[in-house]
Amino acid sequence: MGKRTDVLVDAIWPRLTGDSSEPTLIDLPVVADPELLSAVEGVVEERVDQERERSQSLDSRLIPLLTTTGIMATVLAAGIPLASSGEGTLSDVQLALLVVPFMYLVLQLLRCVVATLSGLSPRAYMAPRTDAMRPVVDESAVEYRNRLTNSRYRSFQNNLWVANQKLDQLSLAHRAIRNALAGVGLLLISGVIVFALERFEEDAGSSLADAPAAPTATISPGGTQPPPSPSLQPRPAVTDEPLPTRDASIRWCGSTRYQS
């Protein structure tokens, strides 16, 4: 459960693990053999130069992250008017699908900027002091070389810790950039879903608008209904009574008509 919580927290706000406190500087033992002392001096000087180059390399890798973050922030700023223009037409669910990935992306960019600035912030680099380079009265050459080598070794330990701090901040910035790219993908997927929902609602609305309206009966202002159609009027009943004639003096006899 703890690992899952750590993964979730790092996905939202990447953080450092472990002890990042300043190291406790230790001294080299006194070396009396001149040949061994020369070997120790060579190793210490080599490591000091390596840490200086590593620190400069880390600085050169942190600076482009600010440029990348600025570009992504510009793209986000350009998308704000587009998101606000659809505020009145989008539903709450559609707005949530757009706002949540957008805010996650902003949070990751902020974390990247914080880590990058922390990595580029001035650090307490150590170097041998000026008074340490001056020989002391009645000091032998071996003692002087031991004291100067020990001062260089203490500076190496501190500068190693500073370079490691820069590396940790670089790792945090890279993690935040990866999270931001995941947020961009999530934002694209949400945009496709919102667009599909909009098209579905438009198609449903147009189908309802094109459907024919059902006929309704109307009543005239006078309160009387219109006469029914002739085809709907009842037919007269059939009876056996003779049909009336136009003139009663005309009578029929067989197929001959005569008048009385």
Side-chain angles (χ1 to χ4, degrees):
M1 188 64 181
K3 293 183 179 180
R4 294 181 180 179
T5 304
D6 293 339
V7 171
L8 180 61
V9 172
D10 290 336
I12 299 175
W13 187 263
R15 54 184 180 168
L16 291 174
T17 57
D19 186 14
S20 60
S21 59
E22 295 186 7
T24 302
L25 303 181
I26 60 177
D27 296 332
L28 289 172
V30 178
V31 180
D33 186 0
E35 294 183 1
L36 179 59
L37 183 58
S38 298
V40 173
E41 289 175 344
V43 172
V44 171
E45 288 296 329
E46 182 181 359
R47 291 303 307 271
V48 169
D49 293 338
Q50 289 178 356
E51 290 307 315
R52 182 186 303 110
E53 294 177 358
R54 189 165 78 105
S55 179
Q56 294 174 355
S57 175
L58 291 173
D59 288 339
S60 63
R61 294 169 64 183
L62 283 168
I63 293 175
L65 289 177
L66 289 178
T67 305
T68 304
T69 306
I71 294 174
M72 298 183 70
T74 303
V75 174
L76 285 178
I80 291 176
L82 297 177
S84 60
S85 61
E87 184 177 358
T89 59
L90 299 179
S91 63
D92 294 339
V93 176
Q94 294 171 343
L95 283 177
L97 288 175
L98 295 177
V99 170
V100 171
F102 185 85
M103 296 303 297
Y104 178 76
L105 188 54
V106 172
L107 183 64
Q108 297 308 311
L109 292 181
L110 178 62
R111 185 67 182 97
C112 180
V113 171
V114 170
T116 303
L117 294 179
S118 179
L120 292 174
S121 61
R123 301 284 180 172
Y125 287 102
M126 289 183 62
R129 300 188 306 271
T130 305
D131 56 353
M133 298 180 182
R134 294 195 300 265
V136 182
V137 180
D138 298 333
E139 186 179 30
S140 64
V142 174
E143 292 175 347
Y144 173 76
R145 291 173 61 185
N146 272 283
R147 184 167 54 84
L148 190 59
T149 302
N150 190 58
S151 177
R152 296 286 291 171
Y153 182 67
R154 291 173 67 89
S155 299
F156 158 73
Q157 295 177 72
N158 180 80
N159 297 342
L160 175 63
W161 175 78
V162 171
N164 289 336
Q165 292 295 307
K166 288 179 175 290
L167 182 61
D168 291 340
Q169 298 300 324
L170 178 63
S171 300
L172 285 180
H174 281 171
R175 176 64 184 273
I177 286 293
R178 291 195 298 268
N179 291 346
L181 293 178
V184 171
L186 184 62
L187 185 61
L188 291 177
I189 295 175
S190 300
V192 171
I193 294 175
V194 170
F195 177 76
L197 291 176
E198 281 288 313
R199 291 299 303 269
F200 177 76
E201 292 178 357
E202 290 179 359
D203 294 343
S206 60
S207 299
L208 292 177
D210 295 340
T216 56
T218 57
I219 301 177
S220 59
T224 59
Q225 296 183 356
S229 175
S231 60
L232 299 179
Q233 293 181 359
R235 298 180 61 183
V238 179
T239 59
D240 296 335
E241 297 179 358
L243 295 177
T245 59
R246 187 176 53 181
D247 192 352
S249 60
I250 298 176
R251 292 178 298 177
W252 288 86
C253 181
S255 61
T256 304
R257 182 181 62 176
Y258 66 95
Q259 186 174 5
S260 59

